[in-house]
Amino acid sequence: MSILVTGGTGYIGSHTCVELIKENYDVIIVDNLYNSSKEALNRINTITGVMPKFYEIDLLDKDKLNIIFEENNIEAVIHFAGYKAVGESCSIPLTYYQNNITTTLNLCEVMKSYNCKKIVFSSSATVYGDPASVPIDESFPLSTTNPYGTTKMFNERILEDLYISDNEFSVILLRYFNPIGAHNSGLIGETPNGIPNNLVPYIAQVATGKRDFLRVWGNDYNTVDGTGVRDYIHVVDLALGHIKAVKYAMNHLGVEKINLGTGNGYSVLQVKDAYAKASGKDIAFEIMDRRPGDIATCYADTKKAKELLGWQAEFDIETMCNDSWNFEVKNPDGVK
Ligand code: WQD
């Protein structure tokens, strides 16, 4: 029996495949390599000693997706594949809806036709929008503020309705907070396309000298130092959360929405200082106006993941920055 990982050569996908293989799961990766490289397969092999079976297929191609299920006995799916840039989604919303929704619909239809009824879905804390309070628990209302987040919310709803129509399904919706860091081997990590949208990849490029200074998007929020506060979680902690979610899905039916965060919030300037310490580099910065769509504070209530999955994040912000810097130094151009 195999686990199919869509988007498995990507940042979170590749880290999850490493942990799945370490747990002796048979892993099959499908990816169209739009936002990743086949080199990730070699890195997974180097870390684990196992070269995962790989299909270079776009999930928009339903006929080719059928072949994967025809050729393999797939017990469960972890669905990472999708476009994920918040800013880009605002400028090309139709592309985001077309890709992120149709790929999920194709996957669900093919899974159902092959009686594969266990899915772990890569959702995001962005579905909560600007929360009325923090920490955020899974009962909070959803209110997205950009097309990317809305595709996550729509996909959650599609999967919920799939379960309602067929109670033999197990659906786990994992809501990630802010994934950062890299495997401690330095062999896999985050490879942003072009100018990084997210904080830590941008800070990493300031530390390597690729960028002159960090633009801090606003310091007039009602937070510890006026800059945005987020719940940064080590990507390996996130990957381990997926292992627990797969094991839970194997023994339960129904739909569960689960936050994957640390429950701790750090400001932009606190992360900058942690990265400066990890890299030994001065991180120059300038305070700019707020970024449209940004919220002040966001961090997780982590009780449900601990009670239901027996999972909690273990790595601290210093380790996240150390592992990110280690990857950055060893891969100045990312995993290409
Ligand atoms: C974090 C903080 C910025 C860059 C988004 C998505 C979320 C997930 C992670 C995919 C904010 C500040 C950032 C910079 C800055 N992505 N910042 N200068 O916006 O919390 O979440 O990415 O799943 O779904 O919504 O992450 O890293 O972009 O920003 O000051 O150059 O850093 O204002 O306060 P965000 P981020």
Side-chain angles (χ1 to χ4, degrees):
M1 298 291 258
S2 304
I3 308 284
L4 178 66
V5 181
T6 77
T9 53
Y11 174 43
I12 302 169
S14 58
H15 284 85
T16 302
C17 288
V18 163
E19 301 306 329
L20 284 166
I21 292 167
K22 282 167 65 178
E23 280 290 304
N24 296 316
Y25 286 103
D26 176 61
V27 170
I28 298 169
I29 294 175
V30 56
D31 203 303
N32 66 1
L33 302 177
Y34 169 80
N35 205 10
S36 59
S37 160
K38 273 180 87 169
E39 175 58 22
L41 300 170
N42 296 327
R43 304 295 179 91
I44 292 169
N45 187 27
T46 303
I47 294 168
T48 65
V50 174
M51 175 63 86
K53 192 170 186 180
F54 175 65
Y55 289 84
E56 184 178 349
I57 281 174
D58 192 320
L59 299 187
L60 290 173
D61 186 334
K62 198 172 163 187
D63 293 339
K64 287 190 177 167
L65 182 55
N66 263 298
I67 293 170
I68 299 177
F69 282 80
E70 193 63 38
E71 293 181 352
N72 301 278
N73 187 1
I74 293 168
E75 186 175 15
V77 177
I78 305 180
H79 182 30
F80 291 106
Y83 297 157
K84 63 165 191 173
V86 170
E88 184 184 59
S89 77
C90 297
S91 55
I92 49 171
L94 299 182
T95 304
Y96 267 67
Y97 287 117
Q98 173 65 21
N99 184 71
N100 289 4
I101 304 301
T102 308
T103 52
T104 301
L105 290 171
N106 284 350
L107 177 64
C108 291
E109 284 163 2
V110 173
M111 284 177 69
K112 195 167 166 62
S113 64
Y114 283 88
N115 201 36
C116 173
K117 299 189 173 183
K118 300 182 183 308
I119 182 166
V120 174
F121 174 63
S122 167
S123 190
S124 166
T126 202
V127 299
Y128 295 116
D130 192 355
S133 62
V134 281
I136 302 169
D137 74 38
E138 291 84 351
S139 71
F140 274 36
L142 307 190
S143 64
T144 53
T145 59
N146 58 75
Y148 158 76
T150 305
T151 68
K152 289 297 186 184
M153 184 172 69
F154 283 1
N155 278 330
E156 285 197 4
R157 187 57 191 272
I158 287 164
L159 290 164
E160 274 187 283
D161 287 344
L162 178 59
Y163 169 72
I164 291 166
S165 73
D166 180 344
N167 289 174
E168 289 180 4
F169 267 89
S170 177
V171 174
I172 313 289
L173 306 171
L174 298 179
R175 292 170 177 171
Y176 311 158
F177 281 69
N178 288 61
I180 65 169
H183 189 267
N184 62 15
S185 65
L187 288 168
I188 51 178
E190 190 167 10
T191 303
N193 266 337
I195 302 172
N197 298 304
N198 297 139
L199 178 65
V200 170
Y202 199 101
I203 290 177
Q205 292 191 4
V206 173
T208 58
K210 202 177 281 183
R211 309 268 169 208
D212 294 336
F213 63 92
L214 169 68
R215 299 162 301 175
V216 176
W217 301 126
N219 70 341
D220 58 350
Y221 289 104
N222 181 20
T223 65
V224 58
D225 57 19
T227 63
V229 170
R230 297 291 185 275
D231 185 333
Y232 298 94
I233 176 170
H234 197 297
V235 65
V236 173
D237 269 329
L238 200 63
L240 291 169
H242 287 73
I243 308 307
K244 294 282 192 177
V246 165
K247 289 181 175 175
Y248 185 87
M250 294 300 185
N251 302 300
H252 297 81
L253 301 178
V255 181
E256 292 295 350
K257 302 153 186 170
I258 305 174
N259 288 341
L260 292 188
T262 67
N264 303 313
Y266 287 94
S267 76
V268 173
L269 294 180
Q270 287 170 335
V271 174
K272 173 197 67 74
D273 291 342
Y275 212 97
K277 187 175 172 205
S279 62
K281 304 287 186 183
D282 175 46
I283 309 292
F285 69 97
E286 278 188 31
I287 304 296
M288 319 296 275
D289 291 338
R290 291 182 178 191
R291 181 171 66 176
D294 269 355
I295 61 176
T297 300
C298 175
Y299 55 87
D301 179 315
T302 59
K303 275 196 292 294
K304 184 170 182 182
K306 187 166 176 53
E307 288 164 5
L308 205 67
L309 303 181
W311 172 92
Q312 65 182 16
E314 302 292 343
F315 296 110
D316 60 19
I317 193 73
E318 288 75 21
T319 305
M320 295 180 217
C321 293
N322 284 332
D323 290 342
S324 167
W325 178 240
N326 180 46
F327 173 76
E328 204 64 34
V329 168
K330 291 177 176 171
N331 305 273
D333 297 321
V335 178
K336 296 276 188 198

